[in-house]
Amino acid sequence: MLKVNGIDVYYGDLPALRDVSIEVHEREIVSVIGSNGVGKSTLLKTISGVNRPRKGAIHYAEMDITRTRSSRIVEQGISHVPEGRQLFPTMTVMENLEMGAHFQKAKKAKEALLEEVFTYFPRLKERLKQEAGTLSGGEQQMLAIGRGLMSCPRLMMLDEPSLGLSPLLVSTIFDIVRQINDQGTAILLIEQNVYHALSMSNRGYVLENGKLALQGTGQELLTNAHIRKTYLGL
Amino acid sequence: MSNLIATDITKRFGGLLAVNKLSFELAEGEILGLIGPNGAGKTTVFNCLSGFLTPEEGSMYLGGNAIKGLQPYQICQMGMARTFQIVKPFPTISVFDNVMVGALAHGTSLQEAKSMSQDIIESVGLRKMRDLEAQGLPLPLRKRLEMARALATRPRVLLLDEVMAGLNPTEVDEMIDLINQINQDGVSVLLIEHVMRGVMALSQRMIVINYGEKIAEGVPAEIVKNPLVIEAYLGKEFLSAQG
């Protein structure tokens, strides 16, 4: 459903990604792993139209979205849950969720989408009127994912959802990502929690210095000697 | 001998009891881990210790001197430094100048501060980045810079707030080595961390808090088997996922 084909992305004169190609198929969970600063977040931002590639193309559901604006990409069914959550801290939980459904089709389905979000995160329902900035770290991550669900995505991109969370909450968040996937949404996941990420992924890609270094199934990558040494510290 | 003693400290935010009669001691040369769920009050404890907040009740002593009610710069001058969970370098000045700000906190001569900053930058592995703007560093290096700035104030006690968050396991191992080295150089460390790989490897003892109260204290091997800790923090999958 998503095909990123040979993209180059620059920040000014600095190359961030070079000739990167990845694919996500319907209903898959795909992980992108790599050290900090190798371009993983840049890749997601380029897919969601925040960055533009200098070379290459991005296709989604048979459409060329290389130059499509971000709001339109969200409407087409790709949602992006960014690193560090990026909530609207002085807006309430409800208002943050509404911001995720800010186009006609999603607005119409709002009630049903809210119900879906509350099934995954009953905690958010208890805190609808609370300002997002006063939530705990775990609740903020739930809200960020909830907001991402409000656009009714067919592909959800998650950038380090486990960042700064307790071990118990990390397991909870990954369980919910799995459930979201079970309901038919494909997942493109960036994680430093490499073991957890690869264990639940159908396939994974490894980025090093802005280039694709390796790819394989989750299991292949977990048992790969280079990955074990460089990313798992084993 | 204890370097840092907190006795029955209590901090409220309006009706919320963020820290509730918490007591602990950090011994000379010790690394003490402080863990607990998100929102349990860990960072509030740091804010109380470092003078950013004043607890309503309880007492705190650093090297035998009472520090409750002192300003952050005074506590820093007495030998306690901290890092921030969301790293806070001066973004548009160089790595070197960021460390200089810490080094000059004690009224050191410029020459002395320069040579000390250079030493610290080398010890935390930022030599090649010395002249780069702080905002251009990738996250693991910004975390190191955060530590370098704190170390430049020559602390005897260092409070580290989630310096391993967002690092992959290999980067975590490098951070473990760095913290061990700092500790061997004579700095006692109080460590807030969710990355269990890191906190288990480093801590001689750990305390666990939940809803602002201490629920467990002990050596790491005991802590991870404590049912209260598993229930509130680790989750049942933790022990099985360790293998």
Side-chain angles (χ1 to χ4, degrees):
Chain A
M1 68 194 300
L2 177 76
K3 264 190 186 164
V4 175
N5 201 347
I7 57 167
D8 285 1
V9 181
Y10 284 74
Y11 290 116
D13 291 333
L14 280 177
L17 294 177
R18 278 201 237 170
D19 197 26
V20 170
S21 301
I22 70 162
E23 285 184 23
V24 182
H25 307 136
E26 295 280 352
R27 292 176 168 263
E28 261 191 326
I29 301 181
V30 175
S31 284
V32 178
I33 64 171
S35 303
N36 278 285
V38 296
K40 302 185 301 298
S41 296
T42 301
L43 174 61
L44 295 200
K45 286 181 193 163
T46 308
I47 295 167
S48 60
V50 178
N51 296 328
R52 296 297 181 193
R54 202 176 272 188
K55 206 182 108 245
I58 304 171
H59 286 85
Y60 167 74
E62 314 292 316
M63 290 174 290
D64 184 343
I65 59 163
T66 320
R67 307 275 158 216
T68 307
R69 61 174 196 277
S70 294
S71 57
R72 191 82 191 116
I73 291 173
V74 177
E75 287 178 39
Q76 301 293 345
I78 300 183
S79 79
H80 185 165
V81 181
E83 183 178 2
R85 298 137 200 173
Q86 310 294 339
L87 299 170
F88 301 98
T90 59
M91 289 167 57
T92 64
V93 167
M94 185 62 173
E95 288 164 343
N96 269 277
L97 289 173
E98 285 171 339
M99 292 304 284
H102 223 281
F103 54 94
Q104 210 53 45
K105 197 179 107 199
K107 274 183 190 164
K108 276 189 190 151
K110 194 176 101 180
E111 294 308 320
L113 289 167
L114 276 174
E115 276 316 306
E116 189 190 337
V117 171
F118 297 149
T119 358
Y120 294 124
F121 305 112
R123 193 67 166 266
L124 293 180
K125 196 171 184 177
E126 297 163 18
R127 297 183 180 251
L128 275 182
K129 290 180 183 160
Q130 194 173 328
E131 281 187 12
T134 65
L135 298 175
S136 75
E139 291 163 351
Q140 291 195 16
Q141 188 60 54
M142 293 176 189
L143 179 54
I145 296 175
R147 184 181 58 185
L149 286 169
M150 290 297 290
S151 60
C152 200
R154 287 175 57 210
L155 169 65
M156 184 174 237
M157 304 194 292
L158 295 157
D159 195 343
E160 293 204 32
S162 79
L163 184 68
L165 300 187
S166 70
L168 179 60
L169 274 172
V170 171
S171 302
T172 308
I173 293 285
F174 281 134
D175 277 349
I176 287 168
V177 170
R178 239 181 247 125
Q179 288 171 32
I180 292 172
N181 176 252
D182 285 343
Q183 295 304 310
T185 306
I187 305 285
L188 180 56
L189 178 67
I190 291 182
E191 257 302 326
Q192 294 301 345
N193 199 325
V194 176
Y195 182 80
H196 240 120
L198 289 177
S199 307
M200 66 188 262
S201 293
N202 302 101
R203 291 184 305 112
Y205 294 91
V206 183
L207 271 182
E208 288 178 358
N209 297 318
K211 289 181 191 162
L212 220 52
L214 265 176
Q215 54 179 299
T217 66
Q219 278 311 313
E220 281 166 6
L221 293 179
L222 267 180
T223 50
N224 178 289
H226 174 67
I227 306 260
R228 290 174 73 82
K229 179 157 176 290
T230 311
Y231 300 104
L232 292 165
L234 295 171
Chain B
M1 184 187 142
S2 283
N3 226 335
L4 175 67
I5 304 176
T7 310
D8 286 336
I9 56 173
T10 294
K11 178 68 204 168
R12 294 187 184 85
F13 295 121
L16 178 79
L17 202 49
V19 180
N20 189 6
K21 290 193 184 304
L22 182 69
S23 301
F24 64 87
E25 295 187 11
L26 174 68
E28 187 88 50
E30 189 179 26
I31 301 181
L32 177 65
L34 173 58
I35 64 172
N38 297 92
K42 302 182 296 296
T43 298
T44 303
V45 171
F46 269 25
N47 284 336
C48 288
L49 293 170
S50 55
F52 287 79
L53 295 171
T54 305
E56 281 87 18
E57 290 161 37
S59 58
M60 302 177 293
Y61 291 88
L62 175 64
N65 301 304
I67 53 170
K68 186 170 141 182
L70 298 183
Q71 292 299 310
Y73 76 90
Q74 293 171 312
I75 292 172
C76 172
Q77 284 176 345
M78 290 168 70
M80 183 154 66
R82 70 172 295 183
T83 66
F84 291 87
Q85 192 177 344
I86 312 291
V87 293
K88 301 197 168 180
F90 299 106
T92 57
I93 65 175
S94 70
V95 164
F96 183 77
D97 289 342
N98 263 281
V99 180
M100 279 292 280
V101 174
L104 287 166
H106 291 300
T108 325
S109 79
L110 196 60
Q111 205 47 49
E112 206 181 319
K114 276 184 180 166
S115 97
M116 198 174 72
S117 298
Q118 186 62 33
D119 288 348
I120 289 171
I121 281 173
E122 292 192 8
S123 72
V124 302
L126 286 174
R127 188 165 56 86
K128 286 185 190 154
M129 291 78 192
R130 179 201 127 109
D131 298 318
L132 298 181
E133 274 189 8
Q135 63 186 358
L137 297 181
L139 182 78
L141 300 184
R142 286 205 303 273
K143 299 253 179 196
R144 281 171 183 255
L145 173 58
E146 186 77 4
M147 291 173 68
R149 295 192 324 146
L151 285 173
T153 66
R154 280 159 290 171
R156 52 200 284 178
V157 173
L158 183 60
L159 311 179
L160 297 175
D161 197 349
E162 289 199 35
V163 289
M164 298 176 195
L167 306 188
N168 72 35
T170 305
E171 293 162 342
V172 166
D173 286 345
E174 291 164 4
M175 189 57 96
I176 291 171
D177 290 344
L178 177 59
I179 295 171
N180 264 327
Q181 176 203 321
I182 290 166
N183 179 243
Q184 277 154 22
D185 291 342
V187 181
S188 312
V189 178
L190 181 58
L191 184 71
I192 293 180
E193 196 57 66
H194 283 309
V195 177
M196 290 305 287
R197 178 195 186 86
V199 76
M200 294 275 294
L202 282 166
S203 306
Q204 286 132 37
R205 283 187 310 132
M206 292 161 78
I207 54 178
V208 188
I209 65 173
N210 195 16
Y211 297 109
E213 287 181 45
K214 185 157 67 183
I215 59 167
E217 178 166 9
V219 298
E222 291 166 9
I223 290 289
V224 295
K225 288 185 199 139
N226 182 312
L228 280 176
V229 179
I230 292 172
E231 168 83 29
Y233 182 69
L234 293 171
K236 292 187 176 60
E237 288 172 34
F238 179 78
L239 281 178
S240 50
Q242 282 300 285

